[in-house]
Amino acid sequence: MTPAPPASPAEIPVTVVGIGADGWAGLPAASRAALAGAEVLIGGPRQLDLLPPEHCAGERVAWPSPLRPAVPGLLAAHAGRRIAVLASGDPMFYGIGRALTEALGPDALHVLPHPSAVSLACARLGWPVEDTEVVTLVGRPAARLAAALHDGRRLLVLSANAATPGAIAALLRERGFGPSRLRVLEQLGSERELTYEGVADAWRHEPGDALNVVAVECRRSPDALRLGAVPGLPDAAYESDGQLTKRYVRAATLAALAPAPGELLWDVGGGSGSIAVEWMRAHPSCRACTVEKNPVRAERITRNAERLGVPGLRVVTGAAPAALAELPTPDAVFIGGGLTAPGLLDACWAALPVGGRLVANTVTLESEALLADRYRRHGGDLVRLAVAQAVPVGGFTGWRQAMPVTQWSVTKSGDQER
């Protein structure tokens, strides 16, 4: 069967037009034609105000707030009419294009992008786009920037509003990156374009224009704790009451869990939250739910997640397995405590889909017996992790052995569903 040819732009019900701060004057002919021919123009008030009435006679509709839930109903209300949706810069880069694609499907859209704020900023700064990490704080907490802070790294931060540059400077100071250089680029591409700069430690600028991008050249203070990009952060990075998977065991545990982009982890018996935190730091799209029955520890996990740049970590306060009942299906499960709780191991195993991974650590003989039994039934790897550290012994140096950790890791196969 011969596939149908792709629809022409004239046959597609919704056209998405990217527009910059330079407004109508900066649009190419195709974008102008789409806006001029639209019966309905949908966008933010600022974007709609950029269109000259003499060229764009369509009905103007401003997005309501909150925006995303309103998308399907608003488009349905104007079905059958020629619709043009305005977007800032590139609609498919942290823009409205994603919500429209999810609501209508890609075949129902004709997208006409404009240069993004990132492209314009890199052009002004002389930074290669491919070497520049982008972090958006639009509708997101500033704490997520912390995960991207590494000495010498260049970051572009998409601001939520005029207060964002000051919030970034404060976060940099708190996280040990006070010497970092900040440059704020306002109204990129317009006649009112403005750039100002400073160092986070001495940031004194008042809030300026709400339409801005912040360029950060990361510089770590000499006395700040160094946090690497791989699992096994220093134990000192965490606030803890002692319930913490220690650094070297944590690194081995994350290696066994093998996080991949977009995957979801259950961290059962969260303690200080270190496994879930470092799972999420592995990739910006990694997600995690940590379950901790102690309310004080649960609050501590939340603080650790925010400080280490993953404020999206979901913390569930409750006892497993009951607290697991409403959680979404995981790609991997880590059990760091409570293995002897009745039904816990079975509940975690049952929740895993085929191909899901389970890793469990223990230091007690009773829990070790459970893991040995499951190893006989389901296979996988059963290992013992032993770490010793050099310590002073009088005028000499000797080894101090930590409690050995027994670890069972396994991937669920189709014949292991029970």
Side-chain angles (χ1 to χ4, degrees):
M1 181 176 178
T2 303
S8 69
E11 298 171 322
I12 295 176
V14 177
T15 301
V16 190
V17 179
I19 189 168
D22 49 357
W24 183 259
L27 293 175
S31 296
R32 291 187 179 189
L35 294 171
E39 297 172 287
V40 181
L41 298 161
I42 302 176
R46 181 185 63 81
Q47 297 158 342
L48 291 170
D49 287 345
L50 294 172
L51 303 183
E54 64 271 22
H55 294 300
C56 303
E59 178 186 355
R60 301 187 179 209
V61 179
W63 286 115
S65 181
L67 186 153
R68 185 174 284 267
V71 169
L74 190 58
L75 295 177
H78 298 284
R81 306 174 72 187
R82 293 189 303 278
I83 298 174
V85 175
L86 287 165
S88 294
D90 185 345
M92 303 308 296
F93 186 73
Y94 293 112
I96 189 62
R98 177 172 184 166
L100 293 172
T101 301
E102 292 172 354
L104 301 177
D107 294 338
L109 300 178
H110 178 53
V111 180
L112 299 171
H114 189 275
S116 69
V118 169
S119 294
L120 291 173
C122 285
R124 303 293 189 272
L125 298 165
W127 290 3
V129 177
E130 68 272 17
D131 292 336
T132 304
E133 186 169 354
V134 179
V135 179
T136 180
L137 299 185
V138 179
R140 297 165 173 85
R144 71 192 305 267
L145 178 62
L149 299 179
H150 298 284
D151 197 37
R153 190 73 171 145
R154 289 173 169 175
L155 309 176
L156 274 181
V157 185
L158 307 182
S159 290
N161 50 47
T164 301
I168 291 172
L171 183 140
L172 290 168
R173 292 193 297 270
E174 293 167 2
R175 301 303 195 277
F177 280 80
S180 299
R181 180 188 183 192
L182 280 71
R183 279 179 279 182
V184 181
L185 299 93
E186 297 181 346
Q187 288 284 337
L188 279 165
S190 80
E191 294 179 353
R192 295 187 292 132
E193 183 174 317
L194 175 69
T195 300
Y196 55 93
E197 66 177 81
V199 174
D201 272 337
W203 191 258
R204 298 292 184 270
H205 294 284
E206 294 295 323
D209 195 279
L211 191 63
N212 71 82
V213 175
V214 182
V216 182
E217 294 179 77
C218 297
R219 294 290 181 269
R220 182 170 56 88
S221 299
D223 57 347
L225 188 66
R226 185 180 186 280
L227 304 180
V230 299
L233 298 182
D235 293 344
Y238 294 93
E239 180 187 346
S240 171
D241 62 359
Q243 290 296 314
L244 173 71
T245 302
K246 299 301 189 289
R247 181 179 194 176
Y248 300 105
V249 173
R250 191 185 328 128
T253 299
L254 266 296
L257 286 166
E263 290 190 325
L264 172 67
L265 171 74
W266 285 5
D267 178 10
V268 183
S272 300
S274 62
I275 296 296
V277 164
E278 295 190 31
W279 169 280
M280 292 184 67
R281 282 176 60 95
H283 192 273
S285 65
C286 284
R287 299 163 295 135
C289 301
T290 185
V291 178
E292 173 53 56
K293 66 181 180 181
N294 185 312
V296 174
R297 288 178 181 162
E299 291 178 2
R300 187 179 293 119
I301 292 170
T302 299
R303 292 194 296 271
N304 282 330
E306 182 170 335
R307 185 167 56 254
L308 292 169
V310 289
L313 172 60
R314 179 180 174 185
V315 181
V316 178
T317 305
L324 307 176
E326 303 301 322
L327 298 184
T329 301
D331 298 288
V333 175
F334 171 66
I335 306 175
L339 270 170
T340 56
L344 173 60
L345 198 49
D346 288 335
C348 292
W349 184 254
L352 276 176
V354 173
R357 290 96 62 203
L358 187 147
V359 177
N361 291 356
T362 187
V363 295
T364 70
L365 293 175
E366 291 78 7
S367 294
E368 186 177 278
L370 287 176
L371 297 186
D373 174 68
R374 296 310 173 97
Y375 172 67
R376 286 192 294 270
R377 290 163 55 182
H378 299 303
D381 294 303
L382 188 66
V383 300
R384 178 166 287 176
L385 305 172
V387 177
Q389 290 187 312
V391 297
V393 179
F396 300 92
T397 303
W399 293 108
R400 176 171 292 165
Q401 185 78 40
M403 292 182 69
V405 175
T406 298
Q407 181 181 93
W408 177 51
S409 59
V410 63
T411 299
K412 192 173 183 178
S413 63
D415 58 358
Q416 292 176 329
E417 292 194 40
R418 292 184 178 274

